Amino acid sequence: MPGAPAIPVEDTEVVVVGARCAGSATAAAFARAGVRVVLLEASRFPSDTLSTHLLWPGGVAELARLDALDRVTALGAPPLRTAYAAGAGHTIRSPFAPVDGIDYALCVRRTGLDAALAATAVAAGADLREGARVGELLWRGTRCVGVRYADASGTRELRAALVVGADGRRSTVARLAGAARPRLSAPSGRDCYFAYWRDTSAGWREVAAQWRDGPDLGTAFPCDDGLLLALVQPPSSAERPGRSGAERRYHEAIQRIPGLADRLAGCERVGRVRSATGLVSYFRRSSGPGWALPGDAGHFKDPVTAQGIRDALHYGRRLGELAAPVLHDPDRLDAALRAWESQRLADCLDIYQWTNRLARAAAMSPLEIQLYRRATSDPELARAVTAIFSRTRDPKDVFTPALAATLALGALRDAWPSVGPVLTHLLHEARDTAADWWQSRAHDALAPATAACSGDRHA
């Protein structure tokens, strides 16, 4: 338009859109490598976001690798040193296997956690700009070369060798890059409702607890400021309940889980019930010429296994570490981005499939009941299953054919002579295992065609 003021243009090396878990980890890694990185965040810290925010020891270790653990620890969340699981009349208590010497989980509310992570990125040298909303990607041919964003001072352009979209499930960068449609997806069978409670149970303040009753699942995780995060995941409903409906569904689910109801006895609820419904787990295409999608922008798993924050931190950090040395060689940069994406898919597909099974909202299967029964008297098995959550063991390495056969024989023995339902379940289990195997075999077709990058997969 004639006479319109020119849009200010600025050059940097990397633009990261979104300054929460994935974005701050990515920005910190780039900044530590001496890269000029601008971190754009639409909100202003401290601010909350919808999240269940548990970090298993593997996630806490990621905070340490980012030099963020001291800031997060100062928020006051208690170390959770015991994993507790109850179902089908069995209860299991297990310590956590250490990761980098860290043998505890943390549940930290996102208001403090995200601000601490953003401060860590700034301390590393990132330029954080809050209240900045990206509206366009800038292109040179098929290559992304920057963003156009708006803040209180107006519209600006940032030119960069790499644009990182760490802006969540509803990622603007993914949409603008043509990557919003998942390449692999699975709808959840569960809805998610949670609220905070003033915790009065001192004996449970170091325990991360889960209960299963029928198709319902409930958890209780002590967090900062003396609070407790109590979450339920009942079977999903076509109803979109609104605030009053969320309250009703939340409290009805708690009453269907007596162990969780007992845990909350004497506790006072603080604040409203929050909900996440219509959840879909997915992998999106997560890299292209000049752009990449860490965190939920590129890959999301149902919250039933609480993996999101750990993966956001881990793969954000790895993205920065891999891309920084080749940032100004477009061909090598694009190869590094493809390798990073391929490695995340290879690392996460097994836990993605396992999570999807737990997200079906079915009652405990005969094999799961046998697993709980064995784990009550087999501490090694209990620790092995717990290690899956910390990502030091893969599900397929724990749930071996030998263990499956043992559990199946136990289920048939306990059901004898009425073994029909157990046999039906075993047939379904075999079908699901075969489907997961074929999906794993086909993952190379989904992954970018490049050699896998080296990395600290289980570090």
Side-chain angles (χ1 to χ4, degrees):
M1 179 183 299
I7 295 175
V9 178
E10 182 182 354
D11 290 321
T12 189
E13 292 180 288
V14 174
V15 174
V16 178
V17 182
R20 294 187 185 271
C21 297
S24 288
T26 305
F30 273 117
R32 287 205 182 99
V35 172
R36 287 182 294 120
V37 54
V38 176
L39 187 53
L40 301 177
E41 171 56 43
S43 62
R44 294 185 179 277
F45 294 119
S47 67
D48 203 1
T49 190
L50 189 65
S51 171
T52 54
H53 58 75
L54 180 73
L55 294 99
W56 304 105
V60 180
E62 284 297 328
L63 294 176
R65 292 179 190 125
L66 288 168
D67 291 337
L69 184 54
D70 287 346
R71 286 186 179 87
V72 173
T73 299
L75 298 171
L80 308 178
R81 300 188 181 277
T82 301
Y84 172 95
H90 305 288
T91 59
I92 306 161
R93 286 179 176 265
S94 173
F96 293 106
V99 180
D100 290 355
I102 293 170
D103 61 355
Y104 59 90
L106 283 176
C107 185
V108 188
R109 289 177 298 165
R110 291 293 297 270
T111 303
L113 175 65
D114 292 353
L117 289 168
T120 299
V122 170
D127 177 0
L128 173 62
R129 302 180 186 181
E130 300 171 74
R133 190 172 296 277
V134 170
E136 296 179 50
L137 298 182
L138 307 177
W139 300 91
R140 184 180 298 124
T142 60
R143 185 166 206 85
C144 185
V145 294
V147 301
R148 181 172 293 169
Y149 74 95
D151 61 13
S153 64
T155 300
R156 298 172 175 272
E157 287 188 359
L158 266 172
R159 305 278 174 160
L162 176 63
V163 172
V164 176
D167 48 344
R169 287 186 293 148
R170 297 177 178 84
S171 169
T172 296
V173 176
R175 175 177 57 81
L176 295 174
R181 184 175 180 177
R183 309 178 81 178
L184 191 65
S185 65
S188 177
R190 298 185 183 276
D191 289 335
C192 181
Y193 300 93
F194 68 91
Y196 297 103
W197 298 69
R198 186 68 61 191
D199 197 2
T200 58
S201 300
W204 286 85
R205 285 298 286 171
E206 292 190 349
V207 179
Q210 179 193 91
W211 295 265
R212 291 184 66 181
D213 273 274
D216 288 291
L217 182 148
T219 59
F221 303 136
C223 55
D224 47 300
D225 200 25
L227 297 179
L228 174 74
L229 172 67
L231 174 145
V232 295
Q233 287 192 265
S236 60
S237 169
E239 172 191 7
R240 292 295 172 261
R243 182 171 293 189
S244 62
E247 290 271 351
R248 173 178 53 80
R249 294 207 74 203
Y250 180 66
H251 287 285
E252 287 175 350
I254 290 173
Q255 294 310 308
R256 293 194 299 267
I257 308 173
L260 178 58
D262 289 345
R263 172 69 176 89
L264 295 175
C267 300
E268 176 191 2
R269 229 212 38 227
V270 177
R272 65 184 179 89
V273 173
R274 307 191 69 178
S275 62
T277 59
L279 294 170
V280 177
S281 299
Y282 56 79
F283 287 92
R284 288 175 176 148
R285 180 189 174 204
S286 293
S287 68
W291 61 270
L293 302 175
D296 289 353
H299 169 51
F300 174 76
K301 287 182 285 294
D302 190 276
V304 70
T305 53
Q307 297 296 311
I309 294 178
R310 180 269 177 191
D311 280 358
L313 298 173
H314 179 82
Y315 293 104
R317 174 177 62 82
R318 291 296 294 146
L319 174 60
E321 291 170 349
L322 289 164
V326 295
L327 194 57
H328 296 292
D329 183 328
D331 291 339
R332 293 178 67 196
L333 173 61
D334 294 348
L337 298 179
R338 291 192 299 270
W340 166 82
E341 180 183 0
S342 180
Q343 190 66 61
R344 182 174 66 176
L345 176 60
D347 290 353
C348 293
L349 187 57
D350 197 19
I351 190 77
Y352 168 85
Q353 293 169 338
W354 188 59
T355 297
N356 289 342
R357 292 196 186 196
L358 292 176
R360 288 177 179 169
M364 290 180 68
S365 72
L367 295 190
E368 288 178 308
I369 293 170
Q370 289 297 315
L371 175 67
Y372 272 55
R373 174 173 294 162
R374 285 182 61 86
T376 58
S377 58
D378 185 345
E380 287 300 318
L381 178 59
R383 281 193 288 269
V385 175
T386 301
I388 295 173
F389 291 90
S390 277
R391 306 292 282 280
T392 57
R393 300 283 298 272
D394 284 333
K396 66 176 179 294
D397 296 331
V398 175
F399 299 109
T400 61
L403 177 60
T406 299
L407 298 179
L409 288 173
L412 290 167
R413 181 190 62 241
D414 288 352
W416 188 266
S418 302
V419 298
V422 176
L423 291 174
T424 298
H425 171 75
L426 292 175
L427 287 173
H428 290 164
E429 186 72 18
R431 177 201 62 195
D432 293 342
T433 300
D436 287 348
W437 185 84
W438 279 109
Q439 188 177 72
S440 298
R441 291 277 294 176
H443 93 268
D444 287 339
L446 295 168
T450 187
C453 58
S454 61
D456 49 352
R457 177 180 179 182
H458 287 312

